[in-house]
Amino acid sequence: MRRAGLFFLFAALSFLVQAGELAGPQLVAELRKGGYVLYVRHTSTDFGRNDAQMTSFEDCASQRPLTDKGRDEARAIAGHIKRLGIPIGTVYASPFCRTVETAMLAFGKAEKTQDVRGGPVRTGDPRRYDALRGLLATAPAKGFNNVISSHGNPFHAVFGAPYLAEGEIAVVRPGGDQRFEALARIPLSGWESLPR
């Protein structure tokens, strides 16, 4: 059993190319050129509620929702994307209401898909996040950046610690053939420091 666990860990890590770092003006210049995937964890939510009673993904009343603060955070991200001139292509969103709402407020669109939160394969199966890995490895249309609006757990499962904070964005460079690398993380408080 231990040997199988080590095999699955190695298999998962083999998809991730070790990351370099982008920051400041260089990060903004790269994002303006396009070619990246922005993985955003939904913005601030009400942890006093959970998803245990939900009957469907459309049942927003029975899910953990964004707070008013979370909605403001998503709108602030939209303002920074516009201020910095970052071109956005396809926006994939987990079908939960909080991830779709984050995508709509921050990027103006959302294509719902289970692929960004882990496929229908059972928890613990190393293939569960293969579809997410595929999206992370796929280059956007020329001159654009794709977005994945999802949750903390899928990101942690693919990239490892530390978790993304609510509203934090990881900048990922796709490499094709299930290869990708995380180059930067932008916390909610980090946008103001990015130069125009």
Side-chain angles (χ1 to χ4, degrees):
M1 188 70 167
R2 183 177 173 193
R3 195 168 166 189
L6 288 173
F7 170 77
F8 291 137
L9 176 62
F10 175 77
L13 290 175
S14 69
F15 292 114
L16 178 61
V17 179
Q18 289 302 312
E21 287 296 322
L22 281 178
Q26 184 185 10
L27 173 59
V28 174
E30 286 296 311
L31 290 176
R32 283 183 181 147
K33 286 193 275 185
Y36 294 89
V37 177
L38 308 180
Y39 184 110
V40 59
R41 182 180 176 188
H42 57 75
T43 51
S44 293
T45 55
D46 178 0
F47 277 92
R49 295 172 56 188
N50 63 44
D51 308 318
Q53 303 302 315
M54 64 181 269
T55 57
S56 70
F57 290 118
E58 287 71 36
D59 180 14
C60 296
S62 300
Q63 297 177 33
R64 191 171 94 230
L66 293 186
T67 59
D68 288 340
K69 176 184 175 189
R71 292 181 187 95
D72 289 343
E73 290 166 347
R75 289 185 193 101
I77 291 171
H80 292 300
I81 294 290
K82 183 177 181 180
R83 171 181 69 87
L84 296 171
I86 298 171
I88 300 298
T90 305
V91 179
Y92 301 102
S94 160
F96 279 87
C97 296
R98 59 186 173 271
T99 47
V100 172
E101 189 174 11
T102 296
M104 292 300 297
L105 291 172
F107 306 102
K109 53 190 169 181
E111 184 178 312
K112 297 180 192 178
T113 176
Q114 283 272 34
D115 290 349
V116 302
R117 64 175 296 266
V121 183
R122 290 186 312 269
T123 301
D125 189 318
R127 297 170 297 161
R128 180 177 182 194
Y129 297 103
D130 282 357
L132 173 58
R133 289 184 181 96
L135 290 174
L136 289 165
T138 301
K142 187 176 174 68
F144 291 92
N145 301 287
N146 286 347
V147 174
I148 293 174
S149 178
S150 192
H151 309 269
N153 285 334
F155 182 85
H156 185 269
V158 172
F159 289 94
Y163 276 92
L164 284 177
E166 289 186 321
E168 187 173 15
I169 292 178
V171 178
V172 179
R173 179 166 54 203
D177 193 30
Q178 298 283 331
R179 293 168 55 92
F180 47 85
E181 59 183 321
L183 299 176
R185 290 169 69 138
I186 308 171
L188 283 167
S189 61
W191 287 99
E192 293 291 346
S193 65
L194 292 177
R196 183 177 301 204

